[in-house]
Amino acid sequence: MDKSIVNEVVSALEAVKNYGQPGFWILLSILIVLVLVTAAVMYQRIVIKRFQTASNATQENFETIAADLRKRALEVKKQDEGLRKRELEVKERKQQQVLKRSQRALKGSVSHTMLRPDFKGMTSVVPDSSKPDLQRKPDEGAEATS
Protein backbone atom coordinates (compact mmCIF):
# COMPACT_ATOMS: atom_id res chain seq x y z
CA MET A 1 0.00 0.00 0.00
CA ASP A 2 2.90 2.33 0.53
CA LYS A 3 3.93 2.10 -3.17
CA SER A 4 3.04 5.07 -5.24
CA ILE A 5 1.23 5.00 -8.56
CA VAL A 6 4.43 5.84 -10.39
CA ASN A 7 6.17 2.80 -8.92
CA GLU A 8 3.31 0.58 -10.01
CA VAL A 9 3.39 1.97 -13.56
CA VAL A 10 7.16 1.42 -13.76
CA SER A 11 6.85 -2.13 -12.51
CA ALA A 12 4.08 -2.77 -15.04
CA LEU A 13 6.31 -1.44 -17.82
CA GLU A 14 9.15 -3.72 -16.75
CA ALA A 15 6.79 -6.68 -16.74
CA VAL A 16 5.70 -5.82 -20.28
CA LYS A 17 9.34 -5.59 -21.39
CA ASN A 18 9.84 -9.12 -20.19
CA TYR A 19 7.04 -10.29 -22.46
CA GLY A 20 8.67 -8.66 -25.47
CA GLN A 21 8.23 -5.83 -27.90
CA PRO A 22 4.52 -6.28 -28.85
CA GLY A 23 3.39 -6.12 -25.22
CA PHE A 24 5.30 -2.87 -24.69
CA TRP A 25 3.55 -1.24 -27.65
CA ILE A 26 0.16 -2.41 -26.45
CA LEU A 27 0.78 -1.00 -22.98
CA LEU A 28 2.11 2.24 -24.43
CA SER A 29 -0.96 2.65 -26.64
CA ILE A 30 -3.24 1.99 -23.64
CA LEU A 31 -1.40 4.65 -21.63
CA ILE A 32 -1.69 7.12 -24.51
CA VAL A 33 -5.42 6.44 -24.76
CA LEU A 34 -5.81 6.95 -21.00
CA VAL A 35 -3.91 10.23 -21.17
CA LEU A 36 -6.11 11.40 -24.10
CA VAL A 37 -9.31 10.42 -22.28
CA THR A 38 -8.14 12.24 -19.16
CA ALA A 39 -7.29 15.34 -21.24
CA ALA A 40 -10.71 15.21 -22.94
CA VAL A 41 -12.50 14.96 -19.60
CA MET A 42 -10.50 17.89 -18.20
CA TYR A 43 -11.20 19.93 -21.35
CA GLN A 44 -14.95 19.21 -21.02
CA ARG A 45 -14.92 20.31 -17.39
CA ILE A 46 -13.13 23.53 -18.30
CA VAL A 47 -15.57 24.21 -21.15
CA ILE A 48 -18.58 23.48 -18.93
CA LYS A 49 -17.20 25.73 -16.18
CA ARG A 50 -16.62 28.57 -18.67
CA PHE A 51 -20.11 28.09 -20.08
CA GLN A 52 -21.59 28.17 -16.59
CA THR A 53 -19.62 31.31 -15.77
CA ALA A 54 -20.79 32.95 -18.98
CA SER A 55 -24.32 31.74 -18.32
CA ASN A 56 -24.26 33.18 -14.80
CA ALA A 57 -22.93 36.49 -16.12
CA THR A 58 -25.66 36.53 -18.77
CA GLN A 59 -28.30 35.74 -16.14
CA GLU A 60 -27.04 38.57 -13.94
CA ASN A 61 -27.08 40.84 -16.99
CA PHE A 62 -30.69 39.90 -17.72
CA GLU A 63 -31.64 40.47 -14.09
CA THR A 64 -29.99 43.90 -14.16
CA ILE A 65 -31.79 44.79 -17.38
CA ALA A 66 -35.10 43.54 -15.95
CA ALA A 67 -34.61 45.63 -12.81
CA ASP A 68 -33.86 48.70 -14.96
CA LEU A 69 -36.98 48.08 -17.03
CA ARG A 70 -39.11 47.75 -13.90
CA LYS A 71 -37.64 51.00 -12.58
CA ARG A 72 -38.35 52.81 -15.86
CA ALA A 73 -41.89 51.41 -15.92
CA LEU A 74 -42.51 52.82 -12.43
CA GLU A 75 -41.13 56.21 -13.51
CA VAL A 76 -43.38 56.25 -16.58
CA LYS A 77 -46.36 55.26 -14.42
CA LYS A 78 -45.61 58.13 -12.02
CA GLN A 79 -45.29 60.55 -14.94
CA ASP A 80 -48.61 59.33 -16.35
CA GLU A 81 -50.28 59.80 -12.98
CA GLY A 82 -48.82 63.31 -12.77
CA LEU A 83 -50.10 64.14 -16.25
CA ARG A 84 -53.56 62.81 -15.43
CA LYS A 85 -53.60 64.85 -12.25
CA ARG A 86 -52.60 68.01 -14.14
CA GLU A 87 -55.23 67.33 -16.80
CA LEU A 88 -57.89 66.96 -14.10
CA GLU A 89 -56.75 70.19 -12.47
CA VAL A 90 -56.90 72.04 -15.80
CA LYS A 91 -60.33 70.58 -16.50
CA GLU A 92 -61.57 71.61 -13.05
CA ARG A 93 -60.17 75.13 -13.52
CA LYS A 94 -61.91 75.43 -16.87
CA GLN A 95 -65.17 74.22 -15.35
CA GLN A 96 -64.79 76.72 -12.51
CA GLN A 97 -64.09 79.50 -15.01
CA VAL A 98 -67.17 78.56 -17.02
CA LEU A 99 -69.21 78.46 -13.82
CA LYS A 100 -67.89 81.88 -12.74
CA ARG A 101 -68.68 83.34 -16.16
CA SER A 102 -72.17 81.86 -16.01
CA GLN A 103 -72.67 83.27 -12.53
CA ARG A 104 -71.43 86.71 -13.65
CA ALA A 105 -73.66 86.63 -16.67
CA LEU A 106 -76.62 85.60 -14.51
CA LYS A 107 -75.84 88.32 -11.95
CA GLY A 108 -75.51 90.84 -14.75
CA SER A 109 -78.84 89.86 -16.26
CA VAL A 110 -80.53 89.88 -12.86
CA SER A 111 -79.06 93.25 -11.92
CA HIS A 112 -79.96 94.62 -15.35
CA THR A 113 -83.52 93.40 -14.88
CA MET A 114 -83.64 94.79 -11.36
CA LEU A 115 -82.51 98.21 -12.58
CA ARG A 116 -85.41 98.47 -15.02
CA PRO A 117 -87.69 101.37 -14.07
CA ASP A 118 -90.97 99.59 -14.79
CA PHE A 119 -91.48 96.86 -12.22
CA LYS A 120 -95.03 96.51 -13.42
CA GLY A 121 -93.84 94.76 -16.57
CA MET A 122 -92.08 92.02 -14.62
CA THR A 123 -93.75 88.87 -13.53
CA SER A 124 -92.82 86.98 -10.41
CA VAL A 125 -91.74 83.41 -10.73
CA VAL A 126 -93.40 82.54 -7.46
CA PRO A 127 -96.77 84.22 -6.97
CA ASP A 128 -96.79 86.26 -3.83
CA SER A 129 -100.12 87.66 -2.76
CA SER A 130 -98.54 89.95 -0.18
CA LYS A 131 -96.95 92.09 -2.91
CA PRO A 132 -99.67 92.87 -5.44
CA ASP A 133 -97.82 95.89 -6.89
CA LEU A 134 -94.98 93.76 -8.23
CA GLN A 135 -97.19 91.24 -9.97
CA ARG A 136 -98.43 91.85 -13.46
CA LYS A 137 -102.16 91.93 -13.88
CA PRO A 138 -103.64 90.93 -17.20
CA ASP A 139 -105.65 94.10 -17.64
CA GLU A 140 -102.67 96.37 -16.77
CA GLY A 141 -100.38 94.57 -19.21
CA ALA A 142 -102.92 95.08 -22.01
CA GLU A 143 -103.20 98.78 -21.16
CA ALA A 144 -99.44 99.25 -21.02
CA THR A 145 -98.90 97.74 -24.47
CA SER A 146 -101.76 99.68 -26.08
Side-chain angles (χ1 to χ4, degrees), residues 63-127:
E63 289 172 0
T64 303
I65 291 170
D68 288 343
L69 288 175
R70 283 191 294 271
K71 183 178 177 183
R72 288 180 189 169
L74 284 174
E75 290 173 0
V76 168
K77 185 178 178 182
K78 287 179 183 177
Q79 289 174 354
D80 284 349
E81 289 173 358
L83 287 174
R84 284 190 200 113
K85 186 176 179 182
R86 282 187 219 125
E87 287 175 356
L88 285 174
E89 289 173 356
V90 167
K91 189 175 180 181
E92 287 176 4
R93 272 191 247 131
K94 285 182 180 179
Q95 287 175 347
Q96 287 175 354
Q97 289 174 353
V98 167
L99 182 63
K100 285 180 183 179
R101 287 182 193 144
S102 298
Q103 288 174 343
R104 286 183 196 141
L106 184 61
K107 283 181 184 177
S109 68
V110 168
S111 65
H112 177 69
T113 307
M114 295 297 278
L115 292 175
R116 288 180 65 192
D118 61 334
F119 283 108
K120 291 182 180 179
M122 290 180 55
T123 58
S124 175
V125 176
V126 178

Side-chain angles (χ1 to χ4, degrees), residues 9-27:
V9 170
V10 170
S11 64
L13 284 175
E14 289 175 358
V16 171
K17 276 187 180 181
N18 293 335
Y19 289 115
Q21 195 98 3
F24 175 74
W25 290 111
I26 292 171
L27 182 62

